[in-house]
Amino acid sequence: EVQLVESGGGLVQPGDSLRLSCVASGFTFSSSPMNWVRQAPGKGLEWISYLSSSSSTEKYAESVEGRFTISRDNARNSLYLQMNSLRVEDTALYYCARRAKIAALDHWGQGTLVTVTS
Amino acid sequence: AIQMTQSPSSLSASVGDRVTITCRASQGIRSDLGWYQQKPGKAPNLLIYAASTLQSGVPSRFSGSGSGTEFTLTISSLQPEDFATYYCQQDYSYPVTFGQGTKVEIK
């Protein structure tokens, strides 16, 4: 069974940093491109970052470019999101998701909540 | 960035109704489009990818069509478990973008 389990969320102040983790199981993680997608409370889905299977290609949404860094450790079946200079508008539920094919995020974690408030 | 615009933003329908949701891209995206269903408190669930390919395990009452800039998701006969919010998503080019969502409610 494919599983993605996020962790690392919490309550922080503007300007703080957090590192989210996503541990994968049930599939060949090292062959799978991965994404982070977030959802602010009561709002829609916002894609924020992509990382290829070999870490050779990374992409970011403009809203997080320069502040967030995506990475992975294929030996540990883990995906990460380092979030620096957090803002109130970064408050959201953060999901990791596997990209199986074009426009196909076929497995998602349950999400980890990040709350940025002063 | 490519903008994805869904219509309607919400709709009310009855069990057994045929429901169609439209997604328009601000520029051509070939068939690089997916559809997702999200229920309250749950992660999104992939329904359709490559515009018209049904994801494994998804009921056949769901179908997708379109290419270029205009796409549709159709539910042929709405079931009680289909009341949810639906999103389209393109990854023809980065940044990946989602539509704003269509909430399907019980009439």
Side-chain angles (χ1 to χ4, degrees):
Chain A
E1 180 195 3
V2 172
Q3 273 202 310
L4 295 168
V5 180
E6 302 96 335
S7 61
L11 179 64
V12 297
Q13 294 187 326
D16 285 352
S17 298
L18 270 180
R19 189 194 196 207
L20 306 185
S21 299
C22 169
V23 177
S25 60
F27 66 99
T28 306
F29 179 77
S30 59
S31 300
S32 299
M34 298 294 294
N35 292 263
W36 287 99
V37 177
R38 70 184 180 185
Q39 187 167 36
K43 302 297 185 182
L45 300 171
E46 180 189 15
W47 172 85
I48 56 172
S49 189
Y50 161 90
L51 186 62
S52 63
S53 58
S54 64
S55 301
S56 59
T57 301
E58 55 187 88
K59 301 287 186 183
Y60 298 93
E62 187 176 342
S63 58
V64 306
E65 179 95 56
R67 299 187 299 124
F68 291 10
T69 303
I70 192 171
S71 63
R72 63 193 296 159
D73 183 340
N74 286 342
R76 296 178 183 270
N77 286 347
S78 294
L79 178 74
Y80 305 103
L81 186 69
Q82 177 66 43
M83 305 188 296
N84 297 331
S85 303
L86 282 161
R87 303 168 179 169
V88 170
E89 55 266 34
D90 294 320
T91 294
L93 188 62
Y94 285 73
Y95 295 102
C96 64
R98 182 180 81 164
R99 183 182 187 266
K101 302 176 183 69
I102 291 174
L105 301 180
D106 69 337
H107 288 282
W108 299 60
Q110 83 290 348
T112 187
L113 183 62
V114 173
T115 304
V116 185
T117 180
S118 54
Chain B
I2 297 174
Q3 290 193 11
M4 307 301 292
T5 304
Q6 289 180 231
S7 60
S9 295
S10 64
L11 64 91
S12 295
S14 301
V15 172
D17 284 355
R18 182 181 181 89
V19 169
T20 298
I21 298 168
T22 297
C23 179
R24 289 187 174 86
S26 59
Q27 64 186 76
I29 60 168
R30 300 182 305 199
S31 296
D32 297 352
L33 184 106
W35 288 97
Y36 300 82
Q37 176 194 67
Q38 187 178 34
K39 297 181 180 179
K42 299 293 187 182
N45 182 49
L46 176 67
L47 300 174
I48 302 281
Y49 65 93
S52 60
T53 303
L54 193 68
Q55 171 69 355
S56 175
V58 174
S60 59
R61 62 181 179 273
F62 291 93
S63 64
S65 64
S67 67
T69 61
E70 188 151 339
F71 303 85
T72 58
L73 173 71
T74 300
I75 309 171
S76 60
S77 177
L78 198 66
Q79 297 303 300
E81 59 268 31
D82 301 337
F83 292 96
T85 301
Y86 294 83
Y87 295 92
C88 62
Q89 172 239 337
Q90 68 80 22
D91 73 1
Y92 171 77
S93 70
Y94 287 93
V96 168
T97 44
F98 288 89
Q100 81 279 14
T102 295
K103 188 172 184 179
V104 176
E105 298 176 302
I106 301 172
K107 184 182 251 184

